[in-house]
Amino acid sequence: MADIDDLLAEIASGPQGPSVGAFFDFDGTLIDGFSAALYFRERLTSGEVGLGELTATLVEIFNMSQRGHDVTRLVEVALGALAGREVGELERQATEMFRTKIAGRVYPDARRLVAAHLDAGHTVALASSATRFQAADAAADLGIENILVTEVEVIDGLLTGKVDGPILWGPGKAQAVTEFAAARGVDLTESYAYGN
């Protein structure tokens, strides 16, 4: 990150306390790369991805990169493939993925920024279109207690393959941050936001 020392000094000398927020995107901001790609690659190499899911995923990646589509349809494809999976199983896999594939991708400067905000007593939150499975272990590792993510629908301990609420992408993420700030007494005009 450019001028990290200047930013750290600004955080230390600026307003302190929980009324100041620090909101961090996850993919490409706290970590190098995209967690969804790592999860997909893991599922692909283990033979869990069928031809239909592979084709639908590639089409949606193309639509995002070439046609400017948002992430909604890609999330629907990915979650649809997980329908019927047990939450506990996915949580265990997520912890293992963090340990083996994601922990080493946490940017050292992002780690320093999060620590500086925590030291300043700021209300720190991770805000991402990723799911809790993708982001929770990284947030815990960084000491971030507040996680605003795309939630998945679970019934009787099993994923339904659908989202539970909005996908936190673009306006959905902005609304989630605004609502979170209002509920916590965070002054967004004094707050920080980090994205790739």
Side-chain angles (χ1 to χ4, degrees), residues 130-166:
T131 66
R132 189 168 297 278
F133 299 112
Q134 294 164 259
D137 288 297
D141 179 64
L142 290 163
I144 300 173
E145 295 179 7
N146 304 298
I147 306 173
L148 310 174
V149 292
T150 299
E151 298 290 355
V152 299
E153 185 179 69
V154 176
I155 297 178
D156 297 328
L158 301 176
L159 272 70
T160 66
K162 300 176 183 174
V163 296
D164 185 12

Side-chain angles (χ1 to χ4, degrees), residues 97-117:
M97 278 291 292
F98 176 74
R99 188 183 69 75
T100 61
K101 308 280 188 209
I102 297 173
R105 292 175 170 266
V106 176
Y107 287 117
D109 284 348
R111 199 174 283 285
R112 292 174 67 197
L113 281 172
V114 170
H117 284 292

Side-chain angles (χ1 to χ4, degrees), residues 3-196:
D3 304 320
I4 184 70
D5 292 325
D6 292 340
L7 185 51
L8 293 171
E10 177 187 321
I11 294 165
S13 65
Q16 307 289 296
S19 67
V20 177
F23 298 92
F24 290 86
D25 183 31
F26 179 51
D27 294 304
T29 302
L30 290 175
I31 65 168
D32 180 16
F34 295 90
S35 57
L38 297 171
Y39 277 88
F40 185 77
R41 187 176 301 124
E42 186 73 16
R43 290 184 59 243
L44 186 63
T45 58
S46 68
E48 290 182 38
V49 177
L51 182 59
E53 181 187 353
L54 177 61
T55 302
T57 299
L58 293 174
V59 165
E60 293 313 319
I61 290 171
F62 174 82
N63 285 337
M64 286 177 59
S65 65
Q66 301 300 313
R67 295 182 174 157
H69 290 195
D70 71 17
V71 74
T72 301
R73 182 69 187 120
L74 184 60
V75 170
E76 290 171 350
V77 170
L79 289 181
L82 298 178
R85 301 278 299 272
E86 293 182 0
V87 170
E89 173 193 357
L90 289 175
E91 289 172 342
R92 287 186 295 279
Q93 287 178 345
T95 297
E96 181 65 13
M97 278 291 292
F98 176 74
R99 188 183 69 75
T100 61
K101 308 280 188 209
I102 297 173
R105 292 175 170 266
V106 176
Y107 287 117
D109 284 348
R111 199 174 283 285
R112 292 174 67 197
L113 281 172
V114 170
H117 284 292
L118 291 171
D119 289 346
H122 295 164
T123 300
V124 179
L126 182 153
S128 175
S129 62
T131 66
R132 189 168 297 278
F133 299 112
Q134 294 164 259
D137 288 297
D141 179 64
L142 290 163
I144 300 173
E145 295 179 7
N146 304 298
I147 306 173
L148 310 174
V149 292
T150 299
E151 298 290 355
V152 299
E153 185 179 69
V154 176
I155 297 178
D156 297 328
L158 301 176
L159 272 70
T160 66
K162 300 176 183 174
V163 296
D164 185 12
I167 294 173
L168 298 195
W169 174 272
K173 185 188 297 187
Q175 181 177 348
V177 166
T178 301
E179 290 172 1
F180 173 85
R184 297 294 180 97
V186 171
D187 180 355
L188 290 178
T189 65
E190 293 289 332
S191 295
Y192 300 76
Y194 301 93
N196 50 326

